[in-house]
Amino acid sequence: MAHVKNALCQIIQSWESFPHDLLLSQFVKMDPLAPSQKKRKGPSENDLLNKRLKLDYEEITPCLKEVTTVWEKMLATPGRSKIKFDMEKMHSAVGQGVPRHHRGEIWKFLAEQHHLKHQFPSKQQPKDTPYKELLKQLTSQQHAILIDLGRTFPTHPYFSAQLGAGQLSLYNILKAYSLLDQEVGYCQGLSFVAGILLLHMGEEEAFNMLKFLMFDMGLRKQYRPDMIILQIQMYQLSRLLHDYHRDLYNHLEEHEIGPSLYAAPWFLTVFASQFPLGFVARVFDMIFLQGSEVIFKVALSLLGSHKPLILQHENLETIVDFIKSTLPNLGLVQMEKTISQVFEMDISKQLQAYEVEYHVLQEELIDSSPLSDNQRMDKLEKTNSSLRKQNLDLLEQLQVANGRIQSLEATIERLLTSESKLKQATLALELERSALLQTVAQLQGQMAELSGPEPEHAPPEPVGD
């Protein structure tokens, strides 16, 4: 746990020079329905400038014109929010690239497709409180949010201005989410996730997509206050390294370097606190398509791709420094290679097995450790609490699966009924066709009888001289 806490502290560099008290007083005075929330009749010059500022980053996978055309056709499909598109086609399109100027709309499109595919959402869905209503309320997380504003993409032109449009919109989104999700509230790292969304869409849309990522795509569990899920994720990543890159795993273990020393920020900020925006945007492309498992795939691919360079370092400080500082800046070609590798990976079964393994090991540690009765009881209660949450999650998944099965069975029954009706209709049409053919044959016979044989014409008599 100490490693995790230390890693959390290292997520973002210190921000000592920022005037927190001034910022707090300014935001408290502001109307919760900020200028960015007020409707305008059309895009103003300031809106256009903000859009250019937002998309000020270098692409990792340049999108070819043909691929852009494919996306534009899907986005322009009438009634697209009710149409299930071919999954392979979407997977192929995401793999070939996502045009930066359409990225926000494409993320919303992928979220729509997820909802169509999973029509029985988890019971953990939040209350459907309107965004503007949330902005009118006060949050106990206000100070923590304000402190982190200046630490979030401090060099990006959209967020760098104190009290600017970017920081204000980001504050609004994080404040609204802290009120919507009382259990999580606000956690370090969330500002980067919300910030990436805000760079590609409007404020309220970004808030809705943050809800989608947290509740539908599985990000929320890692931000729970007990941080148990984050510990499990660090164990899962360690096991992946053990199974896929044993020499690298042994090298890190030899120097007592666990994933919590370098990978906690990767999970909590979805790589956004350390990696170039173009790379992070591609990670988000895949998360909207495949879910939070993508973070493991990217982490494993990054470490595996740079294994020879990591193995060259021979002490804790230089290894951790390389992974945290050098690795994120090794070039676009290597990052594009990483993205390509992720599309070919499937580690879902391993992750499930590692999670079960983690809990078994925890139980064994409790049983074997020389603890007092009170300490043992505390640990057991925490473990039971964690298992209860997991049981509830599994129960919800089972209920969703049963709902899907019932829905599929009803669909199959409707299709069978429809097939039976179609067979009957086909038989009736065939009988009708046979009857019509007989009628045509009879009519042709009657016509032949009525016309009869044509009379033979006598040759003309010769004319005399």
Side-chain angles (χ1 to χ4, degrees):
M1 190 64 183
H3 284 324
V4 176
K5 289 181 178 178
N6 290 336
L8 289 174
C9 295
Q10 295 168 357
I11 289 174
I12 309 157
Q13 295 179 349
S14 63
W15 183 39
E16 299 175 351
S17 59
F18 197 86
H20 302 148
D21 295 335
L22 173 61
L23 179 61
L24 177 61
S25 63
Q26 291 296 325
F27 270 97
V28 170
K29 292 176 184 176
M30 286 184 177
D31 184 348
L33 293 180
S36 56
Q37 294 298 307
K38 296 177 181 177
K39 294 183 179 179
R40 300 186 181 97
K41 293 183 179 179
S44 67
E45 186 177 339
N46 191 52
D47 292 331
L48 297 174
L49 175 61
N50 279 341
K51 186 171 184 179
R52 285 196 296 271
L53 287 176
K54 285 181 174 186
L55 299 179
D56 183 22
Y57 62 81
E58 189 172 7
E59 290 272 37
I60 295 297
T61 309
C63 197
L64 299 176
K65 186 176 180 181
E66 293 79 5
V67 182
T68 301
T69 302
V70 170
W71 280 118
E72 289 174 344
K73 285 182 179 178
M74 284 195 282
L75 294 176
T77 303
R80 75 174 198 210
S81 62
K82 298 180 180 179
I83 300 172
K84 287 184 180 180
F85 286 75
D86 181 65
M87 194 65 190
E88 288 186 10
K89 182 179 179 181
M90 291 191 296
H91 193 280
S92 174
V94 173
Q96 293 179 73
V98 173
R100 177 169 44 185
H101 57 288
H102 289 317
R103 181 162 267 132
E105 193 64 28
I106 288 169
W107 289 350
K108 288 185 283 182
F109 166 71
L110 292 174
E112 291 169 358
Q113 290 300 304
H114 177 86
H115 286 142
L116 287 173
K117 187 179 177 182
H118 304 86
Q119 296 186 4
F120 298 91
S122 164
K123 287 186 177 180
Q124 288 187 346
Q125 291 293 317
K127 294 180 180 178
D128 192 18
T129 309
Y131 180 61
K132 292 184 179 180
E133 290 301 314
L134 291 169
L135 291 183
K136 294 176 183 178
Q137 303 174 34
L138 297 175
T139 175
S140 60
Q141 306 289 325
Q142 181 171 263
H143 191 266
I145 295 171
L146 291 170
I147 292 297
D148 279 349
L149 286 182
R151 300 171 174 174
T152 306
F153 303 118
T155 61
H156 192 282
Y158 183 64
F159 293 110
S160 59
Q162 296 180 17
L163 310 181
Q167 288 195 4
L168 177 57
S169 291
L170 184 58
Y171 170 80
N172 284 342
I173 293 170
L174 297 172
K175 169 190 171 181
Y177 186 83
S178 71
L179 291 163
L180 181 80
D181 186 355
Q182 297 286 338
E183 182 186 5
V184 169
Y186 173 73
C187 178
Q188 274 191 324
L190 268 180
S191 60
F192 282 91
V193 179
I196 289 290
L197 296 171
L198 190 55
L199 290 177
H200 295 89
M201 59 190 74
E203 185 177 308
E204 188 167 353
E205 293 171 325
F207 172 73
N208 290 329
M209 287 300 97
L210 179 60
K211 284 197 300 182
F212 171 77
L213 289 177
M214 294 290 277
F215 287 91
D216 295 282
M217 290 288 100
L219 288 185
R220 180 180 181 270
K221 57 189 178 183
Q222 68 186 22
Y223 296 103
R224 285 174 175 164
D226 56 17
M227 289 290 176
I228 290 175
I229 297 299
L230 185 63
Q231 293 180 57
I232 295 173
Q233 289 172 329
M234 296 300 99
Y235 177 79
Q236 289 169 311
L237 180 56
S238 178
R239 289 291 282 109
L240 286 169
L241 284 173
H242 177 273
D243 288 357
Y244 284 87
H245 303 288
R246 183 68 63 85
D247 50 350
L248 178 58
Y249 170 84
N250 290 336
H251 187 67
L252 294 174
E253 283 292 303
E254 181 184 345
H255 294 90
E256 299 183 346
I257 301 172
S260 57
L261 286 179
Y262 58 85
W266 293 359
F267 281 79
L268 292 174
T269 71
V270 192
F271 299 94
S273 64
Q274 296 174 351
F275 286 77
L277 280 174
F279 178 79
V280 178
R282 286 297 282 150
V283 174
F284 271 69
D285 293 342
M286 293 184 291
I287 289 176
F288 273 97
L289 185 69
Q290 299 178 356
S292 57
E293 181 183 307
V294 165
I295 303 176
F296 286 99
K297 295 180 183 180
V298 175
L300 184 62
S301 179
L302 282 169
L303 293 168
S305 298
H306 299 91
K307 177 167 60 176
L309 296 174
I310 298 173
L311 292 175
Q312 291 177 8
H313 297 277
E314 293 295 340
N315 61 69
L316 184 148
E317 290 77 13
T318 58
I319 293 173
V320 172
D321 182 66
F322 175 85
I323 295 175
K324 293 177 64 176
S325 304
T326 308
L327 187 149
N329 299 292
L330 285 180
L332 300 181
V333 174
Q334 188 61 51
M335 289 182 181
E336 188 169 357
K337 180 183 176 183
T338 297
I339 297 298
S340 299
Q341 289 176 346
V342 168
F343 272 94
E344 300 171 2
M345 295 171 67
D346 183 7
I347 56 173
S348 55
K349 290 182 180 179
Q350 291 97 313
L351 291 176
Q352 291 173 5
Y354 299 153
E355 183 171 356
V356 173
E357 186 178 285
Y358 174 87
H359 289 295
V360 171
L361 290 173
Q362 289 296 106
E363 290 174 5
E364 290 178 355
L365 284 173
I366 291 172
D367 293 339
S368 62
S369 59
L371 300 174
S372 66
D373 290 341
N374 288 336
Q375 289 175 322
R376 189 180 295 276
M377 285 299 297
D378 287 343
K379 285 203 169 186
L380 285 171
E381 285 177 3
K382 288 180 181 179
T383 303
N384 287 336
S385 176
S386 175
L387 289 172
R388 278 197 297 270
K389 284 183 179 179
Q390 289 181 51
N391 286 338
L392 287 173
D393 291 341
L394 290 171
L395 181 60
E396 287 180 9
Q397 292 175 23
L398 181 61
Q399 290 173 342
V400 169
N402 287 333
R404 289 177 191 158
I405 290 170
Q406 292 174 5
S407 175
L408 289 170
E409 288 175 346
T411 301
I412 291 170
E413 188 176 344
R414 287 197 302 271
L415 289 172
L416 290 173
T417 303
S418 179
E419 182 186 21
S420 177
K421 290 180 179 178
L422 286 171
K423 284 181 178 178
Q424 293 176 4
T426 302
L427 181 60
L429 288 171
E430 286 177 351
L431 292 172
E432 185 178 350
R433 178 178 177 274
S434 179
L436 287 172
L437 288 173
Q438 290 178 0
T439 302
V440 169
Q442 291 173 0
L443 289 173
Q444 287 175 341
Q446 292 174 5
M447 289 292 291
E449 291 175 2
L450 289 173
S451 60
E454 293 185 4
E456 295 183 1
H457 298 286
E461 296 181 0
V463 180
D465 295 336

PDB file of all heavy atoms in Angstrom, residues 323-345:
ATOM      1  N   ILE A 323      11.726   4.473 -17.022  1.00  0.00           N
ATOM      2  CA  ILE A 323      10.331   4.118 -17.302  1.00  0.00           C
ATOM      3  C   ILE A 323       9.416   5.343 -17.201  1.00  0.00           C
ATOM      4  O   ILE A 323       8.503   5.521 -18.022  1.00  0.00           O
ATOM      5  CB  ILE A 323       9.853   3.013 -16.345  1.00  0.00           C
ATOM      6  CG1 ILE A 323      10.645   1.726 -16.601  1.00  0.00           C
ATOM      7  CG2 ILE A 323       8.370   2.746 -16.513  1.00  0.00           C
ATOM      8  CD1 ILE A 323      10.334   0.606 -15.621  1.00  0.00           C
ATOM      9  N   LYS A 324       9.676   6.199 -16.217  1.00  0.00           N
ATOM     10  CA  LYS A 324       8.785   7.341 -15.998  1.00  0.00           C
ATOM     11  C   LYS A 324       9.090   8.533 -16.892  1.00  0.00           C
ATOM     12  O   LYS A 324       8.175   9.280 -17.258  1.00  0.00           O
ATOM     13  CB  LYS A 324       8.861   7.771 -14.532  1.00  0.00           C
ATOM     14  CG  LYS A 324       8.298   6.747 -13.568  1.00  0.00           C
ATOM     15  CD  LYS A 324       8.467   7.172 -12.123  1.00  0.00           C
ATOM     16  CE  LYS A 324       7.693   8.421 -11.808  1.00  0.00           C
ATOM     17  NZ  LYS A 324       7.777   8.796 -10.382  1.00  0.00           N
ATOM     18  N   SER A 325      10.359   8.734 -17.251  1.00  0.00           N
ATOM     19  CA  SER A 325      10.734   9.960 -17.962  1.00  0.00           C
ATOM     20  C   SER A 325      11.166   9.739 -19.410  1.00  0.00           C
ATOM     21  O   SER A 325      10.771  10.484 -20.296  1.00  0.00           O
ATOM     22  CB  SER A 325      11.872  10.663 -17.201  1.00  0.00           C
ATOM     23  OG  SER A 325      11.499  10.923 -15.869  1.00  0.00           O
ATOM     24  N   THR A 326      11.969   8.713 -19.645  1.00  0.00           N
ATOM     25  CA  THR A 326      12.508   8.498 -20.993  1.00  0.00           C
ATOM     26  C   THR A 326      11.544   7.729 -21.879  1.00  0.00           C
ATOM     27  O   THR A 326      11.312   8.093 -23.040  1.00  0.00           O
ATOM     28  CB  THR A 326      13.853   7.732 -20.919  1.00  0.00           C
ATOM     29  OG1 THR A 326      14.715   8.413 -20.008  1.00  0.00           O
ATOM     30  CG2 THR A 326      14.509   7.661 -22.281  1.00  0.00           C
ATOM     31  N   LEU A 327      10.970   6.665 -21.343  1.00  0.00           N
ATOM     32  CA  LEU A 327      10.073   5.815 -22.125  1.00  0.00           C
ATOM     33  C   LEU A 327       8.921   6.587 -22.787  1.00  0.00           C
ATOM     34  O   LEU A 327       8.608   6.334 -23.956  1.00  0.00           O
ATOM     35  CB  LEU A 327       9.543   4.688 -21.233  1.00  0.00           C
ATOM     36  CG  LEU A 327       8.724   3.582 -21.888  1.00  0.00           C
ATOM     37  CD1 LEU A 327       8.936   2.266 -21.143  1.00  0.00           C
ATOM     38  CD2 LEU A 327       7.242   3.911 -21.875  1.00  0.00           C
ATOM     39  N   PRO A 328       8.260   7.534 -22.082  1.00  0.00           N
ATOM     40  CA  PRO A 328       7.145   8.245 -22.725  1.00  0.00           C
ATOM     41  C   PRO A 328       7.555   9.140 -23.897  1.00  0.00           C
ATOM     42  O   PRO A 328       6.682   9.647 -24.605  1.00  0.00           O
ATOM     43  CB  PRO A 328       6.574   9.104 -21.583  1.00  0.00           C
ATOM     44  CG  PRO A 328       7.019   8.439 -20.339  1.00  0.00           C
ATOM     45  CD  PRO A 328       8.372   7.891 -20.659  1.00  0.00           C
ATOM     46  N   ASN A 329       8.841   9.335 -24.126  1.00  0.00           N
ATOM     47  CA  ASN A 329       9.284  10.274 -25.168  1.00  0.00           C
ATOM     48  C   ASN A 329      10.216   9.622 -26.186  1.00  0.00           C
ATOM     49  O   ASN A 329      11.128  10.266 -26.698  1.00  0.00           O
ATOM     50  CB  ASN A 329       9.993  11.474 -24.511  1.00  0.00           C
ATOM     51  CG  ASN A 329       9.071  12.243 -23.581  1.00  0.00           C
ATOM     52  OD1 ASN A 329       8.128  12.883 -24.021  1.00  0.00           O
ATOM     53  ND2 ASN A 329       9.331  12.165 -22.291  1.00  0.00           N
ATOM     54  N   LEU A 330       9.951   8.350 -26.492  1.00  0.00           N
ATOM     55  CA  LEU A 330      10.854   7.625 -27.384  1.00  0.00           C
ATOM     56  C   LEU A 330      10.461   7.679 -28.858  1.00  0.00           C
ATOM     57  O   LEU A 330      11.018   6.975 -29.670  1.00  0.00           O
ATOM     58  CB  LEU A 330      10.964   6.168 -26.925  1.00  0.00           C
ATOM     59  CG  LEU A 330      11.809   5.965 -25.677  1.00  0.00           C
ATOM     60  CD1 LEU A 330      11.852   4.499 -25.297  1.00  0.00           C
ATOM     61  CD2 LEU A 330      13.240   6.472 -25.877  1.00  0.00           C
ATOM     62  N   GLY A 331       9.478   8.484 -29.198  1.00  0.00           N
ATOM     63  CA  GLY A 331       9.184   8.703 -30.613  1.00  0.00           C
ATOM     64  C   GLY A 331       7.867   8.134 -31.095  1.00  0.00           C
ATOM     65  O   GLY A 331       7.326   7.182 -30.523  1.00  0.00           O
ATOM     66  N   LEU A 332       7.363   8.733 -32.187  1.00  0.00           N
ATOM     67  CA  LEU A 332       6.048   8.378 -32.717  1.00  0.00           C
ATOM     68  C   LEU A 332       6.028   6.972 -33.304  1.00  0.00           C
ATOM     69  O   LEU A 332       5.026   6.262 -33.190  1.00  0.00           O
ATOM     70  CB  LEU A 332       5.643   9.391 -33.792  1.00  0.00           C
ATOM     71  CG  LEU A 332       5.535  10.854 -33.341  1.00  0.00           C
ATOM     72  CD1 LEU A 332       5.095  11.728 -34.498  1.00  0.00           C
ATOM     73  CD2 LEU A 332       4.557  10.995 -32.178  1.00  0.00           C
ATOM     74  N   VAL A 333       7.114   6.574 -33.960  1.00  0.00           N
ATOM     75  CA  VAL A 333       7.136   5.259 -34.608  1.00  0.00           C
ATOM     76  C   VAL A 333       6.953   4.152 -33.577  1.00  0.00           C
ATOM     77  O   VAL A 333       6.156   3.219 -33.759  1.00  0.00           O
ATOM     78  CB  VAL A 333       8.464   5.047 -35.381  1.00  0.00           C
ATOM     79  CG1 VAL A 333       8.529   3.631 -35.929  1.00  0.00           C
ATOM     80  CG2 VAL A 333       8.580   6.066 -36.511  1.00  0.00           C
ATOM     81  N   GLN A 334       7.680   4.253 -32.453  1.00  0.00           N
ATOM     82  CA  GLN A 334       7.583   3.238 -31.406  1.00  0.00           C
ATOM     83  C   GLN A 334       6.194   3.232 -30.776  1.00  0.00           C
ATOM     84  O   GLN A 334       5.646   2.173 -30.457  1.00  0.00           O
ATOM     85  CB  GLN A 334       8.642   3.501 -30.321  1.00  0.00           C
ATOM     86  CG  GLN A 334       8.759   2.390 -29.290  1.00  0.00           C
ATOM     87  CD  GLN A 334       9.166   1.059 -29.899  1.00  0.00           C
ATOM     88  OE1 GLN A 334      10.137   0.982 -30.639  1.00  0.00           O
ATOM     89  NE2 GLN A 334       8.413   0.024 -29.611  1.00  0.00           N
ATOM     90  N   MET A 335       5.601   4.407 -30.634  1.00  0.00           N
ATOM     91  CA  MET A 335       4.264   4.494 -30.039  1.00  0.00           C
ATOM     92  C   MET A 335       3.205   3.906 -30.969  1.00  0.00           C
ATOM     93  O   MET A 335       2.255   3.244 -30.521  1.00  0.00           O
ATOM     94  CB  MET A 335       3.947   5.948 -29.697  1.00  0.00           C
ATOM     95  CG  MET A 335       4.751   6.450 -28.518  1.00  0.00           C
ATOM     96  SD  MET A 335       4.355   8.132 -28.057  1.00  0.00           S
ATOM     97  CE  MET A 335       5.511   8.358 -26.696  1.00  0.00           C
ATOM     98  N   GLU A 336       3.360   4.156 -32.268  1.00  0.00           N
ATOM     99  CA  GLU A 336       2.417   3.574 -33.230  1.00  0.00           C
ATOM    100  C   GLU A 336       2.541   2.050 -33.233  1.00  0.00           C
ATOM    101  O   GLU A 336       1.542   1.332 -33.353  1.00  0.00           O
ATOM    102  CB  GLU A 336       2.680   4.129 -34.633  1.00  0.00           C
ATOM    103  CG  GLU A 336       1.626   3.711 -35.644  1.00  0.00           C
ATOM    104  CD  GLU A 336       1.730   4.472 -36.954  1.00  0.00           C
ATOM    105  OE1 GLU A 336       2.588   5.373 -37.073  1.00  0.00           O
ATOM    106  OE2 GLU A 336       0.960   4.151 -37.861  1.00  0.00           O
ATOM    107  N   LYS A 337       3.753   1.554 -33.071  1.00  0.00           N
ATOM    108  CA  LYS A 337       3.972   0.111 -32.981  1.00  0.00           C
ATOM    109  C   LYS A 337       3.264  -0.457 -31.749  1.00  0.00           C
ATOM    110  O   LYS A 337       2.655  -1.537 -31.800  1.00  0.00           O
ATOM    111  CB  LYS A 337       5.475  -0.182 -32.910  1.00  0.00           C
ATOM    112  CG  LYS A 337       5.815  -1.660 -32.823  1.00  0.00           C
ATOM    113  CD  LYS A 337       7.328  -1.859 -32.690  1.00  0.00           C
ATOM    114  CE  LYS A 337       7.682  -3.331 -32.501  1.00  0.00           C
ATOM    115  NZ  LYS A 337       9.138  -3.532 -32.300  1.00  0.00           N
ATOM    116  N   THR A 338       3.341   0.283 -30.652  1.00  0.00           N
ATOM    117  CA  THR A 338       2.661  -0.134 -29.422  1.00  0.00           C
ATOM    118  C   THR A 338       1.162  -0.239 -29.637  1.00  0.00           C
ATOM    119  O   THR A 338       0.527  -1.224 -29.243  1.00  0.00           O
ATOM    120  CB  THR A 338       2.958   0.863 -28.283  1.00  0.00           C
ATOM    121  OG1 THR A 338       4.359   0.855 -27.993  1.00  0.00           O
ATOM    122  CG2 THR A 338       2.187   0.500 -27.016  1.00  0.00           C
ATOM    123  N   ILE A 339       0.581   0.773 -30.273  1.00  0.00           N
ATOM    124  CA  ILE A 339      -0.859   0.785 -30.534  1.00  0.00           C
ATOM    125  C   ILE A 339      -1.246  -0.417 -31.402  1.00  0.00           C
ATOM    126  O   ILE A 339      -2.254  -1.094 -31.152  1.00  0.00           O
ATOM    127  CB  ILE A 339      -1.282   2.100 -31.218  1.00  0.00           C
ATOM    128  CG1 ILE A 339      -1.016   3.303 -30.294  1.00  0.00           C
ATOM    129  CG2 ILE A 339      -2.749   2.054 -31.615  1.00  0.00           C
ATOM    130  CD1 ILE A 339      -1.771   3.290 -29.003  1.00  0.00           C
ATOM    131  N   SER A 340      -0.453  -0.708 -32.430  1.00  0.00           N
ATOM    132  CA  SER A 340      -0.737  -1.842 -33.316  1.00  0.00           C
ATOM    133  C   SER A 340      -0.709  -3.158 -32.545  1.00  0.00           C
ATOM    134  O   SER A 340      -1.550  -4.043 -32.772  1.00  0.00           O
ATOM    135  CB  SER A 340       0.282  -1.881 -34.460  1.00  0.00           C
ATOM    136  OG  SER A 340       0.222  -0.707 -35.237  1.00  0.00           O
ATOM    137  N   GLN A 341       0.254  -3.300 -31.624  1.00  0.00           N
ATOM    138  CA  GLN A 341       0.351  -4.525 -30.827  1.00  0.00           C
ATOM    139  C   GLN A 341      -0.876  -4.712 -29.938  1.00  0.00           C
ATOM    140  O   GLN A 341      -1.372  -5.833 -29.769  1.00  0.00           O
ATOM    141  CB  GLN A 341       1.608  -4.496 -29.962  1.00  0.00           C
ATOM    142  CG  GLN A 341       2.909  -4.651 -30.746  1.00  0.00           C
ATOM    143  CD  GLN A 341       4.136  -4.512 -29.859  1.00  0.00           C
ATOM    144  OE1 GLN A 341       4.041  -4.055 -28.720  1.00  0.00           O
ATOM    145  NE2 GLN A 341       5.293  -4.887 -30.384  1.00  0.00           N
ATOM    146  N   VAL A 342      -1.375  -3.622 -29.396  1.00  0.00           N
ATOM    147  CA  VAL A 342      -2.507  -3.693 -28.480  1.00  0.00           C
ATOM    148  C   VAL A 342      -3.738  -4.266 -29.172  1.00  0.00           C
ATOM    149  O   VAL A 342      -4.510  -5.033 -28.578  1.00  0.00           O
ATOM    150  CB  VAL A 342      -2.805  -2.294 -27.894  1.00  0.00           C
ATOM    151  CG1 VAL A 342      -4.142  -2.276 -27.178  1.00  0.00           C
ATOM    152  CG2 VAL A 342      -1.691  -1.880 -26.934  1.00  0.00           C
ATOM    153  N   PHE A 343      -3.944  -3.924 -30.454  1.00  0.00           N
ATOM    154  CA  PHE A 343      -5.114  -4.410 -31.177  1.00  0.00           C
ATOM    155  C   PHE A 343      -5.098  -5.924 -31.348  1.00  0.00           C
ATOM    156  O   PHE A 343      -6.139  -6.539 -31.571  1.00  0.00           O
ATOM    157  CB  PHE A 343      -5.193  -3.733 -32.554  1.00  0.00           C
ATOM    158  CG  PHE A 343      -5.938  -2.441 -32.524  1.00  0.00           C
ATOM    159  CD1 PHE A 343      -5.263  -1.249 -32.364  1.00  0.00           C
ATOM    160  CD2 PHE A 343      -7.320  -2.408 -32.639  1.00  0.00           C
ATOM    161  CE1 PHE A 343      -5.942  -0.044 -32.328  1.00  0.00           C
ATOM    162  CE2 PHE A 343      -8.010  -1.214 -32.595  1.00  0.00           C
ATOM    163  CZ  PHE A 343      -7.324  -0.028 -32.442  1.00  0.00           C
ATOM    164  N   GLU A 344      -3.921  -6.542 -31.250  1.00  0.00           N
ATOM    165  CA  GLU A 344      -3.800  -7.983 -31.464  1.00  0.00           C
ATOM    166  C   GLU A 344      -3.788  -8.774 -30.162  1.00  0.00           C
ATOM    167  O   GLU A 344      -3.742 -10.002 -30.178  1.00  0.00           O
ATOM    168  CB  GLU A 344      -2.515  -8.273 -32.246  1.00  0.00           C
ATOM    169  CG  GLU A 344      -2.473  -7.602 -33.619  1.00  0.00           C
ATOM    170  CD  GLU A 344      -1.110  -7.721 -34.281  1.00  0.00           C
ATOM    171  OE1 GLU A 344      -0.219  -8.367 -33.676  1.00  0.00           O
ATOM    172  OE2 GLU A 344      -0.938  -7.186 -35.379  1.00  0.00           O
ATOM    173  N   MET A 345      -3.841  -8.102 -29.018  1.00  0.00           N
ATOM    174  CA  MET A 345      -3.721  -8.779 -27.721  1.00  0.00           C
ATOM    175  C   MET A 345      -5.088  -9.123 -27.137  1.00  0.00           C
ATOM    176  O   MET A 345      -6.053  -8.384 -27.305  1.00  0.00           O
ATOM    177  CB  MET A 345      -2.954  -7.889 -26.734  1.00  0.00           C
ATOM    178  CG  MET A 345      -1.508  -7.636 -27.117  1.00  0.00           C
ATOM    179  SD  MET A 345      -0.727  -6.382 -26.063  1.00  0.00           S
ATOM    180  CE  MET A 345      -0.705  -7.232 -24.493  1.00  0.00           C
TER     181      MET A 345
END
